[in-house]
Amino acid sequence: MDLNLTEDQETIRTVFATFFEGETGPARAREAEPTGFDAAAWERLLETGAPGMGVPEADGGGGASLADLAVVAIEAGAQIAPLPLVDHGVAARLLSGLPNRNDSEPTVDEGILAGSTIVGLAIRPALNGSAQTVPSGAVAHRVVALDGDRLVIDGPLAEVPGAGAGHLANHGCLPLAHRDLSDATVLATGPEAVAAHARAVDEWRTLTAATLVGMAREALALGVEYVQEREQFGRPVGSFQAVQHLLADLPGLIDGAHLLASKAAWAGDRATDDTAGVLDVDANDVTNFSALAAMALVAAGEAATLATDRSLHVHGGYGFSEEYDIQLYYRRARALTYLLDDPARECRRLAGMILEPAC
Amino acid sequence: MDFSLGDRAEAFRSEVRTFLGGHLTADVVERMHATGTFNDKDFNAGLAEAGLLAGAVPGYGDRDPIELYVLFNELEKAGAPYDGLAVTMLVAGVIHAVGTDFHRSEVLERLLTGRYNCCLGYSEPDHGSDLAAIATRAVRDGDEWVIDGQKMWTTMAHEADWVILLTRTNPDVPKHKGLTMFLVPMDHPGIEVRPVPTMATERTNATFYDGVRVGDRWRLGEVDGGWSVMGVALAFERGVMGGTNPAVPLLRHVRQWAAEATSPDGGRMLDDPLLRERLARTAMANQVSQLLTLRAAWIAATGGLPGLEGSMAKLYATERYQQAVGWFQQMAAAEGLLSFGVDGSAAGGWIDYDGRHSPVTTIYGGTTEINRNNVAERHLGLPRSR
């Protein structure tokens, strides 16, 4: 049992916290609306090696663990960085892990490792040859998707939709787009393809949970800062207990989601085909990666939606105004929480894992 | 981060589970609910004889708080009578932290046999959340102190051999600065215990102190230093000593019931999509509660005093527990109202029991509002609101 980051992770945290504070942040996120992509910041990010850091060293990547990537995702979330870092990182790991590579089309090429070729992940199965509402679909040169039992990759596109006609205007100003898979290349088929995609989506759940934890943490900080400065009735509104208690529920909720996302990442790094981990909810003993990833996303979604809701509320009318940053967090927290599925349905999927299956 | 408990704690957990398999009999559980006293001295002594108790004192012996957490967590999950033991071991931890050699030899050594119990004398009829305002007086008389007053919610007082008693020793200074803690033997003349029955069948007590004379050697901590002793006791209480995973047995009981029970629609209860969603949400909340509690234990294990982290764990765990109880009570409908031992009761009567028990969890050990004040002021840095 050790809840400290490793020394390397402390370094990673410091480096990326500094990077995202300097190169991204609410002002840049606002400028990047409505597409949700900051090309200049992405160019700078390439210099850090972040896009390929989660790919094993044997495949030319940085060899970072899921736990390392979660540390980065939290800091990116705190600054609502308009960068497809999680999607690209997960997709690159998925590609590098595929068996039976086809020599004519290397699964992870130099462009993907470097990040000059952005690759996205269709987290939901494709329908009729089309991947709908793909998270980084508007900025990815290539998208990996599961179409039936075939894992496919589209592109590379010469020109991504960007702010053009392909981008889907949306609540969180995320770079969403539909992707046509009719000319996509098949990477794998059958149970292996389905399993590889499922593993990648669990990694996406884990890192998106981490991103939401970062957002929730910063949203709470914005609220606390505001109520200390804003005065009504001759005193800071933060001195009123009714206001304090709205905020006091949040640290435990956020820290709990943080711990759960970290535990999911830890389980994901340990999980192999042979050791799926323990799944005994009667004893509250859970080390199974898929179950923890689902729980982490639900818990972080709750924390981020509630933290942004309460923080916006204690801003009063200003929280609703375009000018204040909290609305940026409010909308993105909901977008990332609902992008994969209704959390209630996610819970019913989890129930299928932890209870006996429904008849 | 590493979320495995480690080989040592895992081995300890196996020992505890083995013990529970042999000693947590149906008789023990039945006696607990029939008497409303969640304490069983034979069971506790069995734990001591199996060598599992010495590690249950925070800071004492060669066990660390992770193993302490493991012990109480396993007892709680198994539905064992552990309330009396938790309080006793909490007091043992306080004695170990601030007590004298006399306290250690006279009390701590006995507590470790499992045959002796302690209770907590903090709240009073007129002073609950505003604990520092308590009125029970202790007045020095030579080498003795004379104690007069009344305490409420002294659960286990009728089983206890000692009470740790928060008293006012100086009424002329700010309220936090005039308090002194005593360890008072319950057999001293002038102490009266009256039962206070509760809606959960759990028995608690009011205790009366009328000219109780104790030697100065029973003082715990400095004169007028009682508030800092309280800080140690509360940090142990919230989080580390159990009480933050009550929804684990609840989930188990409801899941087992739902697998067998037929819903009014004719299907199996466990196939109800809303019940499945809520069981999954409860399983998730149980993981979060466990992690927040483990964090508090880990902070204690690495030399810190997890006061705030304990507050966060208690806030989260108790509210989620109440939410889950409300869900399952509603879904079990009429059969959920039926009590232990009644024909047709849902989950063997546990839903009725949890429905009765759960309201107190956001009250005792520091109310939700007091814990929110702690987090608001000491974690978020907001101004004092009172």
Side-chain angles (χ1 to χ4, degrees), chain B residues 124-164:
Chain B
E124 298 182 358
D126 294 331
H127 307 285
S129 288
D130 186 7
L131 190 61
I134 53 116
T136 293
R137 287 294 309 273
V139 178
R140 197 188 266 271
D141 180 18
D143 193 38
E144 287 188 329
W145 295 83
V146 182
I147 300 174
D148 285 279
Q150 182 183 346
K151 294 290 177 182
M152 268 308 274
W153 319 123
T154 29
T155 307
M156 300 298 160
H158 60 296
E159 299 260 299
D161 303 280
W162 296 274
V163 55
I164 58 167

Side-chain angles (χ1 to χ4, degrees), chain B residues 226-264:
Chain B
W227 196 246
S228 69
V229 181
M230 273 304 302
V232 174
L234 284 174
F236 290 149
E237 183 171 352
R238 294 177 190 147
V240 186
M241 307 297 292
T244 53
N245 276 280
V248 175
L250 173 70
L251 174 67
R252 183 172 71 243
H253 294 136
V254 172
R255 190 193 63 73
Q256 287 168 350
W257 162 73
E260 304 292 329
T262 305
S263 87

Side-chain angles (χ1 to χ4, degrees), chain A residues 131-310:
Chain A
Q132 297 286 301
T133 320
V134 175
S136 292
V139 296
H141 301 97
R142 315 200 67 172
V143 162
V144 182
L146 187 69
D147 192 356
D149 70 346
R150 300 179 316 147
L151 191 71
V152 301
I153 186 165
D154 76 354
L157 303 185
E159 199 173 341
V160 299
H167 176 250
L168 307 167
N170 66 86
H171 192 87
C173 291
L174 301 185
L176 306 178
H178 304 316
R179 299 284 286 229
D180 176 16
L181 302 173
S182 49
D183 295 327
T185 309
V186 176
L187 296 166
T189 58
E192 275 179 14
V194 173
H197 184 260
R199 160 84 198 189
V201 177
D202 281 342
E203 292 194 354
W204 187 89
R205 285 183 173 96
T206 304
L207 297 180
T208 300
T211 308
L212 286 162
V213 165
M215 275 185 199
R217 188 186 78 193
E218 191 60 24
L220 172 59
L222 288 174
V224 169
E225 189 184 339
Y226 186 82
V227 301
Q228 284 171 322
E229 288 169 5
R230 172 75 172 175
E231 294 198 358
Q232 291 290 285
F233 306 101
R235 30 197 284 224
V237 295
S239 66
F240 296 108
Q241 202 173 40
V243 171
Q244 292 187 354
H245 283 196
L246 284 179
L247 300 175
D249 286 331
L250 301 173
L253 202 62
I254 296 168
D255 289 359
H258 184 180
L259 286 162
L260 195 49
S262 302
K263 185 177 177 183
W266 166 83
D269 285 329
R270 280 165 38 119
T272 64
D273 294 342
D274 300 328
T275 55
V278 182
L279 197 37
D280 180 359
V281 293
D282 280 0
N284 199 18
D285 200 356
V286 182
T287 57
N288 176 282
F289 176 45
S290 288
L292 288 168
M295 288 178 179
L297 182 59
V298 172
E302 264 181 28
T305 50
L306 192 69
T308 52
D309 178 60
R310 297 251 169 111

Side-chain angles (χ1 to χ4, degrees), chain A residues 103 310 318:
Chain A
D103 286 342
R310 297 251 169 111
Y318 291 110

Side-chain angles (χ1 to χ4, degrees), chain B residues 115-293:
Chain B
R115 293 272 168 209
Y116 296 83
N117 279 98
C118 291
C119 62
L120 307 177
Y122 305 157
S123 296
E124 298 182 358
D126 294 331
H127 307 285
S129 288
D130 186 7
L131 190 61
I134 53 116
T136 293
R137 287 294 309 273
V139 178
R140 197 188 266 271
D141 180 18
D143 193 38
E144 287 188 329
W145 295 83
V146 182
I147 300 174
D148 285 279
Q150 182 183 346
K151 294 290 177 182
M152 268 308 274
W153 319 123
T154 29
T155 307
M156 300 298 160
H158 60 296
E159 299 260 299
D161 303 280
W162 296 274
V163 55
I164 58 167
L165 201 65
L166 190 65
T167 66
R168 180 156 310 284
T169 39
N170 189 346
D172 302 322
V173 291
K175 59 185 179 181
H176 294 85
K177 295 181 176 167
L179 302 169
T180 302
M181 192 76 89
F182 289 93
L183 185 61
V184 179
M186 290 295 288
D187 61 2
H188 271 35
I191 299 179
E192 187 193 345
V193 179
R194 285 187 211 159
V196 176
T198 70
M199 75 181 212
T201 72
E202 295 148 349
R203 173 188 165 159
T204 183
N205 304 287
T207 47
F208 299 82
Y209 307 84
D210 182 11
V212 177
R213 301 187 78 89
V214 292
D216 187 55
R217 61 186 185 166
W218 292 107
R219 175 167 48 80
L220 199 51
E222 300 298 315
V223 174
D224 295 344
W227 196 246
S228 69
V229 181
M230 273 304 302
V232 174
L234 284 174
F236 290 149
E237 183 171 352
R238 294 177 190 147
V240 186
M241 307 297 292
T244 53
N245 276 280
V248 175
L250 173 70
L251 174 67
R252 183 172 71 243
H253 294 136
V254 172
R255 190 193 63 73
Q256 287 168 350
W257 162 73
E260 304 292 329
T262 305
S263 87
D265 308 330
R268 202 172 58 133
M269 277 306 298
L270 195 57
D271 294 331
D272 183 301
L274 184 57
L275 182 62
R276 294 177 72 79
E277 177 196 330
R278 286 171 167 179
L279 287 167
R281 285 190 190 277
T282 305
M284 178 206 81
N286 286 346
Q287 276 291 298
V288 173
S289 298
Q290 182 187 68
L291 288 166
L292 288 171
T293 308

